């Protein structure tokens, strides 16, 4: 893939694009009737993709990301004294996915492959638990980050090989949307190569997903790492999203059948000055209005290591006036942190943990509607969760 991607990615900068090929001899100029090119978008799933995207982007609801790899789920479990076994992972995810009333605040849940095929201890499929709450099951389809040769110590996301067949199987199992995460690092440049590789990989994944009935979440995460100001984040975000939408169009991806999962435009985590929710909202919406077509149904923000309260306040600030898109959340740690602390791995704490999840879900639901207040938030909800060089 690396070789074919390199050829494709550098095509846009080639002086021969749009001109005569250097392999052809010059021919006399003559009038040629323009050739019509048939563009097929999303194939037989077009209507279903649009319906799925609109269901997820429904008022007052957002996405619950519980797609951590087994290794990262193990870190969650170890924080409450549990070993990283399939039984314990199943128990934790059962706690989350069987929370009564979760569908009032959650419209989609991103699952890890293991979870997609798991059932409760009573034998009920997790995907059926979600459907009963009107929550759309989703699936993480990328195969993780690996070093990008020729870059400034940057990464690229693998997983395109075999993606079509895997996506078809995920659809059969009940998944209706997909998630692919790649990252861009500001301290590393970012290099032109890394930005193009991220954009091209996301576009190829999105096209393959739509061809197999899955709404793709497009997620080029601009990492919080660094001490740069918010203006630098805005500059990089605009560049990245311009590249992403260029290649989405090149791959004939139907914009009405995708969702975005951007980072909020914030200063670097190590910057000397913090930005207010109003400032973050201003810069983030500026970026979105400059780069994202209104045809896209939903902008589902990642929390990226912000505290639970911080992520909710920032989302709330972005919903103080109407937006062309459904502006909501796709949070992992910002929904799970309080749950884990309430649960502590003990069966007798399941009800309390589920109440904690509903509380965070409700807070973010209100933020999506622009009606959230931080009054009464706990000290734990105010604690940041940034981890330098975070992987999952």
């Amino acid at each position: 893939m690396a070789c074919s991607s390199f050829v494709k990615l550098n095509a846009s900068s080639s002086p021969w694009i749009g001109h005569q090929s250097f392999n052809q001899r010059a021919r006399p100029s003559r009038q040629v009737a323009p050739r019509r090119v048939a563009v097929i978008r999303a194939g037989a799933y077009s209507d279903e993709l649009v319906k799925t995207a609109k269901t997820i982007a429904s008022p007052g609801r957002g996405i619950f990301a519980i797609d951590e790899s087994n290794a990262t789920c193990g870190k969650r479990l170890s924080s409450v004294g549990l070993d990283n076994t399939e039984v314990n992972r199943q128990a934790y995810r059962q706690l989350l996915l069987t929370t009564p009333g979760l569908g009032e605040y959650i419209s989609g849940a991103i699952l890890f492959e293991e979870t997609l095929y798991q059932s409760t201890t009573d034998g009920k499929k997790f995907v059926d638990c979600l459907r009963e709450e009107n929550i759309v099951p989703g699936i993480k389809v990328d195969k993780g980050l690996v070093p990008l040769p020729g870059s400034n110590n940057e990464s690229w996301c693998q997983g395109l090989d075999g993606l079509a067949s895997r996506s078809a199987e995920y659809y059969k199992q009940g998944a209706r949307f997909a998630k692919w995460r790649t990252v861009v690092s500001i301290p590393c440049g970012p290099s032109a190569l890394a930005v193009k590789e991220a954009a091209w990989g996301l576009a190829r994944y999105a096209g393959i997903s739509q061809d197999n009935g899955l709404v793709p979440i497009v997620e080029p995460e601009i990492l919080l790492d660094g001490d740069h100001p918010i203006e630098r984040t805005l500059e990089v975000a605009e560049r990245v999203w311009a590249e992403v939408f260029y290649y989405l169009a090149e791959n004939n991806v139907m914009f009405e059948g995708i969702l975005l999962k951007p980072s909020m435009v914030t200063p670097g985590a190590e910057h000397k000055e913090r930005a207010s929710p109003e400032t973050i909202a201003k810069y983030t919406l500026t970026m979105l209005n400059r780069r994202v077509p209104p045809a896209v149904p939903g902008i589902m923000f990642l929390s990226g290591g912000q505290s639970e309260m911080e992520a909710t306040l920032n989302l709330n600030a972005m919903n103080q006036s109407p937006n062309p898109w459904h502006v909501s959340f796709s949070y992992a740690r910002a929904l799970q942190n309080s749950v884990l602390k309430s649960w502590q791995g003990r069966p007798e704490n399941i009800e309390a943990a589920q109440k904690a999840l509903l509380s965070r879900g409700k807070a973010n639901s209100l933020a999506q509607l622009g009606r959230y207040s931080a009054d009464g938030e706990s000290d734990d909800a105010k604690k940041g969760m940034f981890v330098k060089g975070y992987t999952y």
Side-chain angles (χ1 to χ4, degrees):
M1 174 192 167
C3 181
S4 62
S5 295
F6 183 82
V7 173
K8 177 67 179 179
L9 295 180
N10 282 278
S12 63
S13 60
S14 169
W16 299 102
I17 297 300
H19 302 282
Q20 176 181 293
S21 168
F22 55 82
N23 288 326
Q24 296 176 336
R25 294 183 180 180
R27 296 177 180 177
S29 175
R30 61 187 178 88
Q31 292 281 35
V32 179
R35 185 179 66 177
R36 291 194 174 190
V37 179
V39 176
I40 299 175
R41 293 179 179 271
Y45 292 100
S46 296
D47 292 343
E48 183 181 353
L49 291 167
V50 172
K51 182 180 178 181
T52 298
K54 287 183 176 179
T55 298
I56 295 173
S58 54
R61 300 204 298 166
I63 294 174
F64 187 17
I66 54 170
D67 57 323
E68 300 90 353
S69 66
N70 288 346
T72 302
C73 189
K75 294 177 183 178
R76 303 265 196 276
L77 295 173
S78 67
S79 71
V80 293
L82 294 179
D83 293 332
N84 186 13
T85 65
E86 183 177 353
V87 171
N88 286 337
R89 292 192 298 268
Q90 177 195 31
Y92 177 51
R93 285 161 174 162
Q94 178 171 323
L95 180 161
L96 300 173
L97 298 177
T98 61
T99 299
L102 187 62
E104 184 176 351
Y105 313 120
I106 302 298
S107 55
I110 313 172
L111 310 177
F112 192 60
E113 186 176 65
E114 176 182 78
T115 316
L116 181 68
Y117 290 92
Q118 279 180 331
S119 301
T120 67
T121 50
D122 294 331
K124 189 174 185 178
K125 294 179 180 178
F126 282 149
V127 291
D128 291 336
C129 295
L130 291 172
R131 286 186 183 126
E132 287 183 1
E133 285 284 344
N134 194 28
I135 298 173
V136 181
I139 178 67
K140 168 183 160 68
V141 298
D142 68 76
K143 295 294 184 180
L145 301 170
V146 292
L148 176 62
S151 69
N152 185 27
N153 196 30
E154 294 162 289
S155 301
W156 68 287
C157 188
Q158 59 186 345
L160 289 178
D161 289 350
L163 179 58
S165 58
R166 286 189 285 119
S167 296
E169 289 301 316
Y170 297 148
Y171 184 92
K172 289 179 183 177
Q173 184 62 17
R176 290 298 179 268
F177 72 101
K179 180 263 185 76
W180 174 289
R181 173 190 181 252
T182 193
V183 301
V184 173
S185 170
I186 292 180
C188 289
S191 70
L193 174 63
V195 173
K196 286 182 180 292
E197 179 59 50
W200 176 249
L202 283 165
R204 290 302 305 130
Y205 137 78
I208 293 169
S209 294
Q210 287 191 339
D211 196 48
N212 288 280
L214 302 179
V215 170
I217 291 181
V218 179
E219 181 185 359
E221 180 178 352
I222 298 170
L223 298 171
L224 280 175
D225 304 61
D227 59 1
H228 49 275
I230 195 169
E231 291 80 7
R232 175 60 177 157
T233 308
L234 175 63
E235 178 186 6
V236 172
E238 288 185 355
R239 176 184 168 195
V240 169
W241 280 105
E243 202 88 358
V244 167
F245 272 100
Y246 172 79
Y247 285 116
L248 287 172
E250 284 284 285
N251 281 272
N252 299 319
V253 172
M254 184 178 67
F255 292 170
E256 296 93 331
I258 66 173
L259 297 167
L260 306 189
K261 187 170 179 176
S263 317
M264 297 179 189
V265 178
T266 69
E270 298 164 290
H271 188 62
K272 58 186 177 182
E273 294 181 10
R274 306 283 290 179
S276 68
E278 292 72 25
T279 299
I280 290 171
K282 174 186 174 182
Y283 276 82
T284 304
L285 291 175
T286 295
M287 182 274 292
L288 293 176
N289 279 294
R290 288 175 177 173
R291 291 294 182 262
V292 179
V296 174
I299 314 291
M300 322 299 285
F301 282 101
L302 58 90
S303 56
Q306 301 176 70
S307 72
E308 291 179 326
M309 188 179 78
E310 188 179 14
T312 309
L313 281 169
N314 292 339
L315 178 62
N316 186 71
M318 281 185 268
N319 282 296
Q320 293 308 299
S321 58
N323 294 300
W325 331 268
H326 174 82
V327 175
S328 193
F329 60 93
S330 178
Y331 293 164
R333 286 174 286 173
L335 283 171
Q336 294 184 47
N337 192 47
S338 293
V339 178
L340 282 162
K341 290 182 177 179
S342 298
W343 180 41
Q344 291 296 315
R346 298 173 182 169
E348 64 269 24
N349 292 340
I350 288 176
E351 185 177 350
Q354 291 178 331
K355 285 182 179 178
L357 176 56
L358 288 176
S359 177
R360 292 280 13 123
K362 182 179 180 179
N364 286 291
S365 171
L366 290 170
Q368 197 288 311
L369 299 169
R371 302 203 297 259
Y372 167 75
S373 170
D375 293 344
E377 287 281 20
S378 68
D379 289 339
D380 281 338
K382 301 174 184 178
K383 292 180 180 177
M385 292 175 278
F386 169 72
V387 177
K388 191 171 183 178
Y390 179 72
T391 58
Y392 74 104

